[in-house]
Amino acid sequence: MGQFTAKDEHWMAQAIQQAEVGRYTAHPNPRVGCVLVQGDQCVGAGGHRAAGEPHAERVALAAAGAQAKGATAYVTLEPCSHFGRTPPCVDGLIAAGIARVVYASDDPNPRTRGRARGRLEEAGITVLSGVLADAAQRLNPGFFQRFDQGRPWVRLKLAMSLDGRTAMASGESQWITGEAARRDVHRMRAEASAIATGVETVLADNPRLTARGIDTDRPPTRVVFDSRYRTPVDAAVCADGAPVLLLGAAAATPSHPYPEHVECVAVPGDGEQVDLRHALQALASRDIHELYVECGATLAGALVAANLVDELVIYMAPRLLGHAARGLVALPGVEHLAQTPMLDIVDVRKLGADWRMIARPVMPAQAHPKACSPV
């Protein structure tokens, strides 16, 4: 840690902006930005764009050239100290003659956390950490949560009318919200490691689960909670060769073969149900850090009740669908007000004619959820 100044915060904020270059493409690596500063002047900057490409520090060093000698490096994450697809950034910083390294957050991986500081200080480089740590960690919520809780960051998307309905009784549900809200949905899909739904939604709506209109060459993995492998081989979600994971019960067996890009993942559960915690752990083991979920009321309720939703993204359209229309979330086992989760609303904004609310569920102490998927 140590003492840092307003100048340190200013330049770290610039490094956080540099990390935006990997907003849709850095997965499975974290989004990282770096700025090199001499005096009051930025001499090099860059962000990590995609796995296999240079890390942020290497991009900034290449931009700075000889001006990197004696500079301060501001990095949003502890520089890597191990060989992966690219050489350690610690070596690059030392070789360039960097005088001071300021990073926002420690590496969450316990096997590598703190190793960079030791290497840099051995080389005579001053090291400071903790500058704008919370803001930097918001770049990669799932990357940190994977090591902290062993599961992805789960963002649950819901779209509803002002009277809390999602579809007409007939099942008609398309285009409750307008174009601006739909663009926002595709942006959030593109940010995620994977987009998930339940098999009932696949059977009823046949969604593609793709991110459209976003400039990225990394299609998110598609995930279906499908305890009995009822997803049709010709479903739209399986159509284009992009990776698909079907999360099924350990006792279930697919009744038909799926193409190579569709993987059936056996998850422990209760009979023919899928244990949701184990399912999320299985996704984390496959480097899925951020999971964007669009599903029906039953699976949505099961995830919320099991305290497995980190963030709700709720789009509200200026419509009234009436009491016969379908509800938003089916919470199992809730009989009293004290059992219901509260929502900590962190953002509300207008998107065209619609409103978007972002909220964090706060589960009651007396809730004892059974974390099994009913689909």
Side-chain angles (χ1 to χ4, degrees), residues 146-270:
R146 175 188 168 194
F147 290 102
D148 181 42
Q149 298 186 28
R151 67 168 180 84
W153 174 271
V154 176
R155 177 178 276 168
L156 174 61
K157 172 254 182 176
L158 302 168
M160 68 177 189
S161 62
L162 284 179
D163 54 347
R165 303 295 173 171
T166 63
M168 302 303 294
S170 64
E172 182 184 357
S173 63
Q174 281 195 319
W175 316 134
I176 287 179
T177 54
E179 183 62 31
R182 293 198 293 273
R183 284 197 302 268
D184 194 63
V185 167
H186 284 284
R187 178 184 63 79
M188 289 195 177
R189 285 183 176 186
E191 287 182 19
S193 309
I195 307 166
T197 193
V199 67
E200 297 293 350
T201 298
V202 170
L203 295 174
D205 300 334
N206 198 25
R208 286 183 283 172
L209 298 187
T210 55
R212 300 184 289 279
I214 303 296
D215 185 17
T216 176
D217 54 3
R218 183 196 65 84
T221 299
R222 273 119 5 131
V223 175
V224 181
F225 289 85
D226 184 1
S227 59
R228 289 174 284 148
Y229 299 115
R230 291 184 290 150
T231 299
V233 174
D234 60 352
V237 73
C238 301
D240 59 8
V244 178
L245 300 176
L246 303 182
L247 303 178
T253 303
S255 59
H256 45 257
Y258 288 99
E260 288 186 2
H261 67 280
V262 179
E263 180 183 358
C264 295
V265 181
V267 178
D270 181 7

Side-chain angles (χ1 to χ4, degrees), residues 68-124:
K69 186 175 178 62
T72 294
Y74 292 90
V75 193
T76 59
L77 184 67
E78 177 182 350
C80 65
S81 55
H82 61 282
F83 279 90
R85 297 188 188 184
T86 58
C89 290
V90 165
D91 292 352
L93 295 168
I94 294 171
I98 292 293
R100 181 171 177 253
V101 172
V102 181
Y103 59 86
S105 181
D106 291 337
D107 188 334
N109 189 337
R111 293 181 298 176
T112 53
R113 183 187 302 134
R115 284 175 52 180
R117 176 182 288 274
R119 291 278 311 281
L120 293 167
E121 289 181 340
E122 286 175 6

Side-chain angles (χ1 to χ4, degrees), residues 47-67:
H48 177 55
R49 199 196 75 84
E53 295 186 13
H55 287 187
E57 298 94 320
R58 297 279 181 173
V59 176
L61 288 170
Q67 295 182 88

